Amino acid sequence: MQRTHGADVMDGVRVVANLPEFRQQLRAIGADMERKAVREAGRAAIAVFRKVAQQQAPMQKPPATRKGHVVGTLRRAIYTRRMKSPKGRAVFRLGFRQGAKERAKQRDAYYWAWVEQGHIARGPGQRLKGGANTRALQRRRIRASGKGFVEGRFFLRRSYESAQSRALDAFYERLGRAVQKYSQQ
């Protein structure tokens, strides 16, 4: 891929990286086709993030320690969705499946935030007792002592940072193809 001022050239498809040029090309294909082109490009970009997040999601070594827990649940639970958004925007979400319906399909990753951000290890019957202020104080003390706090894996943050440029390239490449496809119609 060659980088030129304001544009990339890939396999005969011209991908514009200059926003005013993009807008001009998008207006030329019409509002309906513009929305489709941006959605296609957004799907390509979020797919890159999803793939990297699935690769970097930690897996428990078999055999799984909890009854009904299957190795690789966190990876299988990652999904992407297009969200409702204001006119002229395309918003996509990367999330984790959770709940009873997903538990039946062995994709319930209710614990993803604990893995990502870390948590205070508690066993059965060891919950923090007291009011909100007392529990907050106990959490601060446990974190400060370093004992009983499980550090986060930060796999989502790492995957986001490592895949940004690839996702942007995928976005621009798919947008260029879509603009070319819809301008021919």
Side-chain angles (χ1 to χ4, degrees):
M1 177 169 67
Q2 302 172 343
R3 288 236 178 232
T4 59
H5 179 68
D8 298 337
V9 180
M10 289 189 285
D11 304 330
V13 176
R14 185 164 184 255
V15 180
V16 181
N18 187 352
L19 201 54
E21 272 187 63
F22 256 148
R23 291 182 194 265
Q24 186 179 15
Q25 282 186 354
L26 288 172
R27 282 190 201 111
I29 62 173
D32 188 41
M33 297 303 167
E34 174 185 343
R35 186 170 43 252
K36 286 181 183 180
V38 172
R39 282 181 182 173
E40 283 181 28
R43 262 193 296 278
I46 196 73
V48 171
F49 283 122
R50 179 176 167 219
K51 185 175 181 180
V52 173
Q54 284 176 328
Q55 290 170 349
Q56 292 192 5
M59 278 184 46
Q60 186 179 27
K61 292 182 177 75
T65 56
R66 302 192 89 207
K67 181 183 175 190
H69 182 79
V70 179
V71 175
T73 301
L74 195 58
R75 289 184 180 186
R76 283 192 315 278
I78 296 174
Y79 72 92
T80 57
R81 290 265 155 59
R82 183 176 54 85
M83 306 300 289
K84 283 189 172 188
S85 57
K87 190 174 181 178
R89 292 183 178 224
V91 178
F92 292 84
R93 175 179 190 251
L94 182 131
F96 294 85
R97 292 181 179 98
Q98 305 177 58
K101 288 181 182 178
E102 300 303 331
R103 195 172 312 123
K105 298 175 188 173
Q106 297 179 336
R107 296 187 307 194
D108 183 18
Y110 62 90
Y111 54 88
W112 75 270
W114 302 332
V115 175
E116 174 68 15
Q117 300 164 359
H119 63 280
I120 296 172
R122 302 278 86 184
Q126 295 180 345
R127 78 168 227 248
L128 300 177
K129 294 182 174 57
N133 291 338
T134 305
R135 288 195 316 265
L137 176 65
Q138 289 174 8
R139 279 192 213 95
R140 282 196 304 270
R141 287 179 177 165
I142 291 170
R143 282 190 108 149
S145 72
K147 294 180 181 177
F149 183 75
V150 179
E151 286 295 325
R153 300 284 187 92
F154 305 108
F155 67 97
L156 272 182
R157 185 185 306 169
R158 282 195 320 269
S159 62
Y160 175 74
E161 290 168 355
S162 69
Q164 273 183 324
S165 62
R166 285 185 281 165
L168 198 56
D169 289 342
F171 177 85
Y172 285 138
E173 191 270 330
R174 182 65 61 91
L175 187 61
R177 278 196 282 158
V179 166
Q180 188 178 34
K181 178 174 90 175
Y182 293 131
S183 64
Q184 291 173 354
Q185 288 182 353

